[in-house]
Amino acid sequence: MSAIIDSPRQPQQRASKGRVNWEKWGWIYMRASGVLLIILIFGHLFVNLVQGDGIKAIDFAFVAGKYASPFWQVWDVVMLWLAMIHGSNGMRTIVNDYASNPLVRRILLGALFVAAVVLIVLGTLVVFTFDPCSTLIPADQALSFCPAP
């Protein structure tokens, strides 16, 4: 005697002509962003850990020098955005698979969306507004390239 186990996903309606199939585009995004993330992450790890003096060289001055370059700002922001959207989309899929109560699903998806947006906005602000010569840093700890207060 065999039991039939239903799929945890609800049956999806086929997209009619003229409508965007978001699940298909989400699936494509996950594959494309995964490939790009592998390139970005290994490039990030190679530059930060393999070139130079390795982990012991990573300090505030290293990060300040890196974020002085628009290239590295864009590199890290693209990596942040791709990783956050990729991870959030994966979590959305898990919520859709296992949250059977529509209200719970809506709450979880809303919380996931808010968390992703907040982290993306804060991370982007940190990268683009990073000031290694802030007046909040004591003069004896200021970096050599910062003007004296």
Side-chain angles (χ1 to χ4, degrees):
M1 178 193 252
S2 65
I4 297 175
I5 300 174
D6 291 331
S7 169
R9 284 189 182 216
Q10 302 299 324
Q12 299 292 324
Q13 299 289 330
R14 281 193 169 266
S16 61
K17 285 194 175 226
R19 294 186 67 201
V20 177
N21 185 346
W22 291 108
E23 288 298 321
K24 177 181 91 171
W25 287 108
W27 185 88
I28 291 170
Y29 174 81
M30 292 298 275
R31 273 64 189 168
S33 67
V35 170
L36 284 172
L37 279 168
I38 288 172
I39 294 166
L40 290 170
I41 289 168
F42 280 109
H44 176 86
L45 290 173
F46 180 78
V47 167
N48 290 341
L49 301 176
V50 177
Q51 284 185 335
D53 296 329
I55 192 82
K56 64 182 177 243
I58 299 177
D59 57 4
F60 184 80
F62 177 84
V63 174
K66 221 177 130 186
Y67 281 168
S69 165
F71 175 80
W72 288 114
Q73 287 179 331
V74 171
W75 182 287
D76 283 355
V77 165
V78 168
M79 191 168 52
L80 168 76
W81 278 63
L82 286 173
M84 285 304 304
I85 296 170
H86 184 96
S88 298
N89 192 35
M91 288 301 298
R92 180 194 62 84
T93 302
I94 291 170
V95 168
N96 284 338
D97 281 350
Y98 294 105
S100 56
N101 185 323
L103 177 63
V104 171
R105 181 182 301 124
R106 227 174 290 124
I107 290 169
L108 290 173
L109 291 176
L112 181 61
F113 177 78
V114 169
V117 168
V118 166
L119 290 173
I120 287 172
V121 168
L122 288 177
T124 304
L125 283 172
V126 165
V127 169
F128 287 120
T129 63
F130 181 75
D131 181 15
C133 299
S134 172
T135 57
L136 301 174
I137 299 171
D140 63 328
Q141 295 177 4
L143 298 173
S144 60
F145 56 81
C146 293

